[in-house]
């Protein structure tokens, strides 16, 4: 039987409880959408596991600027892990703004960009955690 995962309210409480930690991990998070809830969830779950998360949250929608600029706050932070979260909605918007003649290579260009993120993280001595895109609920009338 698997233990149940804590819900968001339990994670928020864990952050406020100042639980004892046996180790500290430096993590940087960059997202193209609001990431405050994700930061809270990460910190709460880490606290429940006995880990203090030293977390840097990059400014909204500045993934490329933070990852590729050697003088950025994200790179100065010297995180052990860099988490990148790009939303499906922004991906879709970017696809729709891509000229029709270039859409056939869209996926390949995105994969190349993710590879570039990983190389930049590695140059900074960090490991990259890249969130997968979620499915859009794009059914007619929500079905």
């Amino acid at each position: 039987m698997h233990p149940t995962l804590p819900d968001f309210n339990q994670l928020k409480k864990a952050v406020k409880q100042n639980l004892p930690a046996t180790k500290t991990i430096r993590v940087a998070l960059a997202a193209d959408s609001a990431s405050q809830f994700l930061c809270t969830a990460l910190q709460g779950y880490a606290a429940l596991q006995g880990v203090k998360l030293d977390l840097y949250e990059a400014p909204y929608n500045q993934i490329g600027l933070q990852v590729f600029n050697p003088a950025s706050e994200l790179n100065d932070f010297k995180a052990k892990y860099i988490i990148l979260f790009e939303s499906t909605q922004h991906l879709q918007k970017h696809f729709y703004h891509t000229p029709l003649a270039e859409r056939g290579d869209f996926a390949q260009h995105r994969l190349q960009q993710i590879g570039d993120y990983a190389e930049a993280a590695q140059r900074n001595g960090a490991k990259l955690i890249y969130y997968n895109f979620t499915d859009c609920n794009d059914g007619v009338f929500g079905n």
Side-chain angles (χ1 to χ4, degrees), residues 35-51:
S35 57
Q36 292 85 359
F37 289 146
L38 179 56
C39 286
T40 300
L42 289 169
Q43 289 174 315
Y45 194 77
L48 292 174
Q49 300 304 311
V51 175

Side-chain angles (χ1 to χ4, degrees), residues 78-96:
K78 300 294 184 204
K80 182 174 183 177
Y81 299 97
I82 297 173
I83 301 173
L84 299 183
F85 178 79
E86 293 185 296
S87 71
T88 305
Q89 292 79 7
H90 279 114
L91 177 71
Q92 186 178 39
K93 184 178 176 182
H94 186 65
F95 177 77
Y96 290 155

